[in-house]
Amino acid sequence: MKRIGMLTSGGDCQALNATMRGVVKGLHTMMGDVEIYGFEDGYKGLIYGKYRRMTGRDFSGILTRGGTILGTSRQPFKKMRTPDENGLDKVEAMKSTYKYLGLDCLVVLGGNGSQKSAHMLSEEGLNVVSLPKTIDNDLYGTDMTFGFQSAVDIATQAIDCIHTTAASHNRVFVVELMGHKVGWVTLHAGIAGGADIILIPEIPYNLNHVISAIQRRSEQGKGFTILAVAEGAISKEDAALSKKDYKAKLAGRKHSTVGYELASQIEAATGHEVRVTIPGHTQRGGSPVPFDRVISSRLGVTAAELIKNEDYGKMVIMKGYEIDTIPLAETAGKLKYVSPEDPIIRQAKNLGISFGD
Ligand code: F6P
């Protein structure tokens, strides 16, 4: 009988439970009896031996439930090799929990940093299978991560709601969406919600071009403008700074976020009334949309197939609408950015959307 450990790591998202259910149902269907150990709060549970023995029942009725029944936490990869405050070697601690429980495999549901740790553990000799979790859709090697479509759904609803009030008051609205390094959520929700201007980290903006786009709309008799802005959107000027200088500039910034900074700059330049809406963590909350439930179930079952075949050291991915796998060594540590040359950017521009570039 196989013994499987499982953990959810990093920021939560809507389809974590749906994916774990897929793994466990797949294991039970294909292999009969398996022992499942769930680690609490991500890698923390593996480090400090906080786990619980779980059965199929624990994973029943959770397909539609957001969050994670295991709990999660952020354990930065770059600190994994640094001993904790009591001098504990975290990597050795994780290996010894794995050995103590006699695990045959560890299943990791995580984003970029978590995949790096999964790869490290695999290099350290543990059998690891991982699954691509994040609302950001920024994991290299997979076309889609679970959680992304659910976040886009919520972000789009926010823009939809802003539309009616923006039009009634003839105001400019900045809707600031999640994504520090990548703009996938903002790009998709911006197009789906009919935003007029989309600003993402991968395409630094020129403030004058953003202002011209708003003014052009006013001249066309359109009383309102909606900007979908990623939390990591950056001006061309700032993008030209060194990382250190940009950090220092951010530390001294008068406004708490890029959305508020843009709002005050637009107000000063155009005289328009500007309001800011930040859906924030609502984008990670609630029930997964049906699309996520489907891919999570398929990804989860595929992880179970890998375990059955003892085919370890891999992350399950989507290529187009097919499920596939990629060695952790190939994906760990690489982000999938929106390319300014991606046809979706050209198509959005041909719809009349400005990227402020
Ligand atoms: O990685 C997912 C994500 O929601 C990002 O989009 C966002 O920048 C970040 O996590 C927020 O992190 P936290 O929940 O730690 O504030």
Side-chain angles (χ1 to χ4, degrees), residues 73-111:
S73 65
R74 291 196 188 276
Q75 298 293 316
F77 170 73
K78 59 179 181 215
K79 291 200 180 145
M80 279 297 192
R81 296 266 179 205
T82 313
D84 76 356
E85 57 283 8
N86 299 314
L88 180 79
D89 182 326
K90 293 177 216 152
V91 177
E92 285 309 315
M94 288 192 278
K95 283 161 67 180
S96 87
T97 307
Y98 180 97
K99 282 204 186 110
Y100 171 76
L101 290 173
L103 297 181
D104 293 293
C105 177
L106 175 70
V107 180
V108 174
L109 290 78

Side-chain angles (χ1 to χ4, degrees), residues 1-14:
M1 182 177 39
K2 285 220 188 297
R3 288 201 178 128
I4 312 299
M6 188 145 61
L7 60 86
T8 54
S9 167
D12 72 331
C13 76
Q14 291 89 344

Side-chain angles (χ1 to χ4, degrees), residues 301-345:
V301 154
T302 307
E305 286 168 3
L306 289 179
I307 294 167
K308 182 174 172 248
N309 299 331
E310 300 184 353
D311 188 2
Y312 303 121
K314 293 189 171 163
M315 178 171 90
V316 188
I317 57 168
M318 284 198 77
K319 274 282 153 211
Y321 200 59
E322 298 307 317
I323 307 289
D324 206 339
T325 63
I326 187 171
L328 277 166
E330 260 177 57
T331 172
K334 295 186 208 152
L335 281 184
K336 182 185 70 187
Y337 294 98
V338 176
S339 162
E341 274 76 49
D342 192 310
I344 194 173
I345 301 293

Side-chain angles (χ1 to χ4, degrees), residues 11-12 74 133-136 138 178-181 185 231 281 284:
D12 72 331
R74 291 196 188 276
K133 167 238 68 168
T134 170
I135 65 160
D136 295 332
D138 61 355
M178 275 188 165
H180 266 302
K181 292 186 179 151
V185 170
E231 60 186 335
H281 286 76
R284 293 215 312 241

Side-chain angles (χ1 to χ4, degrees), residues 6 25 37 92 142 163 189 266 293-295 312 337 342:
M6 188 145 61
K25 275 195 179 283
Y37 293 86
E92 285 309 315
T142 185
H163 247 110
I266 294 167
R293 296 179 203 178
V294 174
I295 68 166
Y312 303 121
Y337 294 98
D342 192 310

Side-chain angles (χ1 to χ4, degrees), residues 142-160:
T142 185
D143 288 344
M144 193 75 69
T145 58
F146 60 85
F148 172 62
Q149 290 294 344
S150 303
V152 168
D153 194 58
I154 293 167
T156 303
Q157 280 178 43
I159 300 175
D160 287 350

